[in-house]
Structures are given as C-alpha cells and as structure tokens.
Amino acid sequence: MSQALAKKLVPLMDRVLVERVVAATKTSGGILLPETVGSKLNAGVVVAVGPGRPSPMDGKIIPNGVKTGDKVLLPEFGGQAVRLDEGPQKKEFLLFRDEEILGILQDE
C-alpha cells in the first residue's frame, strides 16, 4: 500500500523518502500496549530514492548510499514530514538528505 502512494512522489537530487517503522503495540504474551508506553523508533524503511547529487568538481552524479527497501537508522530530529493522501489512505513519510541518514540496519 505505501509503495503505491510513495510512487506519486519522486525525490530529487540526494533526497530519500523514508517510512518510519511503527513500534509494536502488542507484547509476545498478547498484552496490548497503549501508544504512550511505546517510544518513537529511530528506524525506517527507504521507500524511494533520488538519483544523487552532482559532484562540485566535475558535475557528475554521485549516487546515494541507500536503495529502496533498505532499513535505515534515522536521526532523532530532522527530516521533512510529507503526508500523501489518496482516498481513504493517508500515510506520513519523512524526506531526508542522503547524508542525514545515520546508517543501514542489516538483518543477520
């Protein structure tokens, strides 16, 4: 669902569109947690990536360090909130510069 909404927005230059990962609202034992208990996670999934930024030396495009589908570590503050609406679907994404993303989280 979010992929279809995100295809409406193509990031420019070195911008990266990220969907924040939602914290679990249910424990392994089946207990439902209120939203106030769960903290905001600093992780997200890259939904769309711009082509990169031009090099100041020769103008060639420097590709971004992340690709679509990567799970990334985000800074606590920053990013531009973007709300995409289509009918009943309303999703909120964050738009970051490639250099603002702290790292790629790898599943081992």
Side-chain angles (χ1 to χ4, degrees):
M1 247 191 292
S2 62
Q3 294 288 340
L5 279 175
K7 287 186 179 184
K8 292 182 157 215
L9 177 67
V10 178
L12 298 177
M13 306 289 279
D14 64 340
R15 304 274 198 244
V16 178
L17 189 66
V18 177
E19 183 176 11
R20 191 178 290 274
V21 174
V22 180
T25 58
K26 193 176 194 182
T27 65
S28 59
I31 299 172
L32 296 175
L33 300 172
E35 289 183 21
T36 56
V37 173
S39 62
K40 189 166 66 169
L41 297 176
N42 288 348
V45 177
V46 176
V47 179
V49 179
R53 62 182 167 87
S55 169
M57 299 296 234
D58 55 7
K60 291 183 181 178
I61 299 294
I62 300 171
N64 290 324
V66 296
K67 59 185 180 300
T68 303
D70 282 349
K71 190 171 181 183
V72 294
L73 182 64
L74 303 172
E76 188 173 347
F77 301 104
Q80 177 66 42
V82 177
R83 182 177 296 246
L84 298 177
D85 300 339
E86 180 165 316
Q89 293 181 357
K90 294 182 181 180
K91 283 281 198 174
E92 188 164 311
F93 299 94
L94 296 169
L95 198 58
F96 286 95
R97 286 187 177 273
D98 182 51
E99 62 195 27
E100 292 174 341
I101 294 176
L102 302 175
I104 298 173
L105 299 172
Q106 296 180 346
D107 295 327
E108 290 187 273

